[in-house]
Each structure stands twice: as C-alpha cells, then as structure tokens.
Amino acid sequence: MVAGNVIGTGVFKKIVPMAATGLSEYYILAAWIFAGLVTMLGAFSIAGLAKLTTEAGGNVEYLRICYGDFISFLFGWTYFTVAGSGAIAAVGFIFAQSFNALVPLPHLFESMEHISIGFIHPFADSSTKIVAVLIIILLTWYNYRGIKKGASLNNVVTSAKIIGIVLLIFLGFFFSQNGHPANASTMAKPLLDQHNLSTWTTIFFGVMLNAFWAYDGFSNVGAAAAEIKNPKRNIPLAIIIGVSIVLVLYVLVNYAYMTAMPLGQIAAISENKVAAIVVAQNIMGPAGMVMISLLVVLSTFGYINVSIILFARFYYRMAQKRVFFYHAAKVHPRFQTPYVALIYSMVVSCLLVVSGSFDVLTDMAVFGAFSFYVLLAMGLIKMKRKGIIKEKIPAYPYAPILFIIFILMVLTSTFINNPSRTITGIALILSGVPFYIYFKVKKKSYTQNGNAQ
C-alpha cells in the first residue's frame, strides 16, 4: 500500500522539468537521493505516530490525539474537498489519457466543448473524462466489496509496476539509443556552470521539490489501521520498508533515463508527453512506447485503487467522531467496509474530473497540506515528551526535527514563488470552518438527546 500510494506518475515525468534547469546529472541524482532521505525522516516520524492507536483514520486520528478535533477536521476536510479527491481525479484523468494513447477514444460532445461555467469546462475532453469517471466508479465498487479484495488487487498491481520499473532501469542501464551498452562516463561533471552559488542553491532546491512531490503519499497507510493485523508493529514497518523500496527505484530509474538519453534531449520533451515513454521509444522503438505506456496505465490504476482505500478511511474516522456527515461512519454489514465514506469520496472525485479543475485546486492546497506535515512531526515530539509514546522511535528526535526544518523551507519557497495561489489554498482549507461549527452543533445536539433518552 505504501509503495502503491507513492508510485503514481511523478517517477515517469519529473525528470523533464529537472533536466530543463541546466543542472548536471550528478546534481539531479543528488536531488532524488536527498529528497528520498528527507522522506525517510518523515517516514520515521509517521511510523512513530502509528504507535499511538490501532483505530482507523491515520493522520486524521494522529492529529486528533495530538491537537484535538479542529486541526484533525481541517486535515480531513482538505483531503475530502481538494487534496485527496483532487489527487484521485487528477490521476484518473492521466490514466484515461494514457489509455487513450493505447486505445484511441472517440471525440464526444465536440460541439459543446466551448460551454463554460467560470473556469470550468465540463464538456472539454469528454471522452477522457468519461473513462476517468468510470475507472473511479469501478475501483470504488471493487473496494466497497471488502478491503481484502482491494489490498490483493493493490499487491498484484504494485508488484507489476515495480517489475516494470526494474525493466525500465535495465533498458536504460544497458542499452543506448543505438541499442549498444550505454557509457555512464559520458555524464556531465558536477560544476556550478554559469550560476553563482545563490542562484544554484535556488535551482537545486526547486529540483529537489520536484523529486519530493513524487515521494508524497507515504503517510497515508495508517488510515486503514483498524483493518490491519498488529498495526502498531506492521504500519511502521510498512512505511519504512515501502519508502526504502521507492527511494532505491526512483534513484536507479532516473539514472537510467539520463544514461539512455542526453539531458538536453530529455529537457526538450514536451510537457504533454511522458519522459519514460519517450526514453523507452528511443531505445526499443514502438514496442518500447507500448510497453511503458502500459506501465503508466498500470501505475495510475494502482495509485487510484490504493488512494480510494485509504482516503475514505479518513472521512470514516471523522464521521465516527461526529465531525463529518454522520452517515460516513456506517460499515457495510456484509463486507465490513466504510461503504458510505467510499461513495462520498467517489462522488467528489468524479465531480472534480468533470469540472476539470482538479489540477488548479490541488496546486492551491499544497501549502496547507504540507503545513499538516509540520504539525504531525511536532505531534510526535509532543507525544514523546508527554510519555504517551513510550516505544523507541528510529532516529528520534533528529528525524522529526530535520523533517520540520525541511518542510518549513518548502512552505517558505512555495509562498515566495506563488503567494496568491498559496493564500487561496489556505482560504479553501479554512472554508471548512463553517462546516466544523455545524458538525459540532449537531454533535452537541446528538449527545444531549442521547443523554435525555
């Protein structure tokens, strides 16, 4: 689940904006390694928090224990309205685009594509949107029928995409564009080039951010704690082992890209194309293009599946605590799944697909979403100092402290580079405050009526 929720599309695409910065191969690899190590610090922190509880909810529950209902609610609300549902919608759309590259879809509703509601164009890319909606509905239905089904599907798909990435690494390592063994010694020397130290640091930090986005998703597996055997032991192991696997794969596959193609050619790849597909096509021709296109379809399919499993458990736990729509706390009598929470998540994700606004919304939510990482790491320190978490945590207290410092750097950079979108994202998160007040009033009424009865 950890590997499946991390490996989405970033590993196949992020090398292009990295190459466009002008930094050498050595610095790009260093960015992947350093971002992976920072992610590992975060993994240690979340693994520590997993010792707090065996209840469902993951980060929602950790934040509730550390800070109370309000902060926990804002995190869950952010995922329900923007970050989680938007991620499912965005990756669903990429799945449909990749599927379209293999099996061309008919052009539907072309005459209506000009219709807009503000910045929303519901009929644009209609065929792609229909496929995205259908895959979200299909996977929701599948996970509705039991977590073992969804987890088994995730195991098969994640294993297949890891095998596919290993194959891509093998092709990049051992075959150049002409089908001969590639010469790694042609890689550029680590130089500052024409940049001064300050400019170079800014560029390197931007490259590292690209890598960090591709590592995100490692913290979500705790959402299914109530359905995992021995969660206090197995969730920390899953997070640390899962992140370790991803780190090794990411570094090797990006080395393979740069061995197979010069950075200048990689930088010239259109943003509408997937770098991994172009590299494979250069090595193997049309067969490589088809093979890696299938890998991208598989990877996006797996990401959607595991995200549907985990995000719904956030909303389920919130509903259990009466700070969400209370029907979302219902468990299916036969399949023992939070089926209403799954349906709520599906509906919002599908609406975002139709709107086409998911990329804008998720970009706006970045600042707020990463702020919660700071709170989670601080929460670990708080719980350890209070003696609530007594178990030994790997690399504590250095891991959470260093993780907090890095995330604060991310937040500062995000705000400086895009203040208007950052402020709008914070406003979107705070839009949940009226709902929180409403849920608390409903909870109070429910409690009073329950006591009266």
Side-chain angles (χ1 to χ4, degrees), residues 32-283:
W32 280 104
I33 293 169
F34 189 74
L37 293 176
V38 170
T39 302
M40 186 61 72
L41 296 176
F44 288 145
S45 301
I46 301 300
L49 288 170
K51 305 286 187 181
L52 277 174
T53 179
T54 59
E55 295 288 349
N59 294 340
V60 164
E61 185 66 2
Y62 307 151
L63 289 168
R64 187 191 68 81
I65 294 170
C66 294
Y67 304 106
D69 285 343
F70 181 63
I71 298 297
S72 172
F73 169 81
L74 286 182
F75 174 86
W77 185 256
T78 300
Y79 267 75
F80 180 64
T81 56
V82 182
S85 300
I88 292 172
V91 178
F93 195 78
I94 295 169
F95 168 88
Q97 286 178 317
S98 303
F99 183 83
N100 184 42
L102 293 170
V103 183
L105 300 170
H107 294 286
L108 302 175
F109 308 117
E110 280 187 278
S111 61
M112 303 173 69
E113 287 189 354
H114 66 282
I115 298 173
S116 64
I117 307 169
F119 60 87
I120 295 172
H121 294 78
F123 296 102
D125 300 310
S126 296
S127 299
T128 306
K129 288 179 179 178
I130 289 170
V131 172
V133 166
L134 288 175
I135 197 64
I136 292 170
I137 292 173
L138 174 66
L139 287 173
T140 301
W141 170 81
Y142 194 79
N143 285 288
Y144 178 105
R145 295 172 59 81
I147 193 170
K148 284 189 177 180
K149 289 180 179 292
S152 298
L153 178 63
N154 172 73
N155 291 343
V156 172
V157 172
T158 301
S159 298
K161 57 182 176 179
I162 287 174
I163 291 169
I165 291 172
V166 170
L167 178 59
L168 187 56
I169 292 167
F170 175 82
L171 292 174
F173 270 21
F174 297 104
F175 297 95
S176 69
Q177 297 173 60
N178 297 317
H180 300 296
N183 183 3
S185 67
T186 61
M187 294 177 72
K189 301 297 182 185
L191 300 171
L192 289 180
D193 302 318
Q194 72 274 23
H195 305 300
N196 60 41
L197 182 59
S198 176
T199 303
W200 177 88
T201 302
T202 302
I203 293 171
F204 180 77
F205 189 70
V207 169
M208 194 168 61
L209 287 182
N210 276 296
F212 193 70
W213 307 141
Y215 282 108
D216 199 21
F218 66 91
S219 67
N220 295 326
V221 70
E227 297 153 284
I228 294 174
K229 294 177 182 178
N230 194 2
K232 288 189 176 184
R233 173 185 179 275
N234 289 328
I235 288 176
L237 280 176
I239 293 171
I240 293 168
I241 295 171
V243 171
S244 300
I245 291 169
V246 171
L247 192 160
V248 172
L249 289 175
Y250 278 11
V251 172
L252 290 177
V253 78
N254 279 277
Y255 179 84
Y257 294 151
M258 295 183 290
T259 303
M261 283 180 68
L263 273 183
Q265 290 184 24
I266 293 175
I269 296 173
S270 167
E271 64 179 17
N272 295 322
K273 293 184 178 180
V274 178
I277 294 174
V278 175
V279 170
Q281 189 171 14
N282 277 11
I283 296 171

Side-chain angles (χ1 to χ4, degrees), residues 283-435:
I283 296 171
M284 295 179 62
M289 185 274 290
V290 172
M291 182 183 69
I292 303 304
S293 293
L294 284 170
L295 176 60
V296 175
V297 168
L298 193 66
S299 184
T300 50
F301 179 89
Y303 177 89
I304 297 164
N305 178 62
V306 74
S307 296
I308 286 171
I309 292 173
L310 297 177
F311 294 158
R313 270 71 182 176
F314 290 163
Y315 321 139
Y316 164 75
R317 185 57 178 166
M318 292 163 66
Q320 279 190 318
K321 292 298 176 181
R322 293 274 168 172
V323 286
F324 197 65
F325 305 104
Y326 73 94
H327 287 295
K330 290 185 176 180
V331 175
H332 196 282
R334 177 182 171 190
F335 302 123
Q336 295 299 300
T337 54
Y339 68 107
V340 177
L342 284 164
I343 292 170
Y344 282 0
S345 177
M346 178 192 74
V347 170
V348 176
S349 298
C350 289
L351 287 174
L352 289 177
V353 169
V354 174
S355 74
S357 61
F358 40 79
D359 282 330
V360 176
L361 290 172
T362 49
D363 284 348
M364 289 179 178
V366 164
F367 187 91
F370 274 72
S371 298
F372 290 112
Y373 278 135
V374 174
L375 292 175
L376 285 164
M378 290 173 63
L380 174 63
I381 296 171
K382 179 182 177 181
M383 294 296 103
K384 281 290 287 182
R385 292 185 68 179
K386 285 187 171 183
I388 295 173
I389 297 177
K390 296 181 173 63
E391 296 90 344
K392 185 177 180 180
I393 309 298
Y396 181 88
Y398 307 107
I401 291 172
L402 291 173
F403 188 64
I404 289 167
I405 291 170
F406 177 78
I407 297 300
L408 288 175
M409 291 168 63
V410 171
L411 296 175
T412 303
S413 175
T414 304
F415 182 79
I416 291 172
N417 292 328
N418 208 330
S420 60
R421 186 161 287 190
T422 299
I423 293 169
T424 306
I426 294 171
L428 280 172
I429 293 168
L430 293 178
S431 69
V433 173
F435 288 90

